Amino acid sequence: MGPYYEFRHLVGFEETNLVGNVYYVNYLRWQGRCREMFLHQHAPEVLDEIRDDLKLFTLKCECEFLAEITAFDELSIRMRLEDLTQTQIGFAFDYVRLRDGIEDLVARGRQRVACMRGPNTDTRPAKVPAALRKALEPYGMAAPAPRPRVLADVAKGD
């Protein structure tokens, strides 16, 4: 995979369920937070457009869970640009647990976002802002590279 934008997160008790593992909805919340922090750090001018009339509608969001995580696990949520059209953006997310110098892929996610403009009663598709296109450019998907270790690989002896 190509370069990624990284958002680090330390899991708290409030993100776990009664069993002690992370409640599934938090993975989707982290996707949104990762995307927000990317805008804040790499495309702040787009935030001004959002305050005006740009809307980023999440059309699709998914997550595949590979291993459980619990409170105080440190995560690296890694976002890449999967595809970019005139009006939509596809993101890919890897959720990687960081522990003692070892990276374990614990989940994968995807998200599709549409750019829209106009009042809420008449919102229409809009082009992805140039500033956002430019900010996303370095994070496009590239040729496959070594992936973080998946826990199932450990069991197989990989």
Side-chain angles (χ1 to χ4, degrees):
M1 299 287 175
Y4 51 81
Y5 170 77
E6 179 181 51
F7 170 68
R8 293 273 183 116
H9 180 71
L10 185 64
V11 177
F13 283 126
E14 73 278 3
E15 297 169 309
T16 62
N17 58 25
L18 293 174
V19 179
N21 59 346
V22 169
Y23 189 60
Y24 73 94
V25 76
N26 288 300
Y27 291 84
L28 303 181
R29 183 178 296 133
W30 298 332
Q31 281 185 20
R33 183 72 173 152
C34 183
R35 193 178 79 185
E36 290 168 4
M37 295 310 295
F38 174 82
L39 289 173
H40 176 70
Q41 293 174 7
H42 295 283
E45 52 274 278
V46 175
L47 295 174
D48 292 333
E49 291 190 56
I50 289 171
R51 289 181 193 103
D52 187 19
D53 78 335
L54 177 66
K55 296 165 179 66
L56 300 178
F57 284 9
T58 302
L59 303 175
K60 182 179 182 179
C61 193
E62 62 185 54
C63 193
E64 174 187 12
F65 306 102
L66 305 171
E68 290 185 351
I69 55 176
T70 59
F72 303 108
D73 278 339
E74 183 180 1
L75 293 179
S76 166
I77 295 99
R78 298 172 178 176
M79 182 181 80
R80 291 182 183 82
L81 174 65
E82 192 170 51
D83 70 280
L84 180 62
T85 69
Q86 289 292 320
T87 62
Q88 295 185 14
I89 308 165
F91 294 105
F93 296 87
D94 287 336
Y95 300 79
V96 178
R97 178 178 36 221
L98 308 172
R99 185 185 294 159
D100 301 325
I102 297 172
E103 297 186 351
D104 290 315
L105 183 64
V106 296
R108 288 188 189 109
R110 297 171 99 179
Q111 193 176 104
R112 185 143 203 89
V113 175
C115 292
M116 308 287 274
R117 290 194 185 268
N120 290 338
T121 57
D122 190 26
T123 306
R124 299 180 185 262
K127 287 189 175 185
V128 175
L132 183 51
R133 285 181 176 280
K134 184 173 175 51
L136 288 168
E137 213 170 73
Y139 301 100
M141 303 280 273
R147 61 185 172 86
R149 191 174 66 151
V150 177
L151 292 181
D153 294 344
V154 176
K156 290 185 225 169
D158 289 347

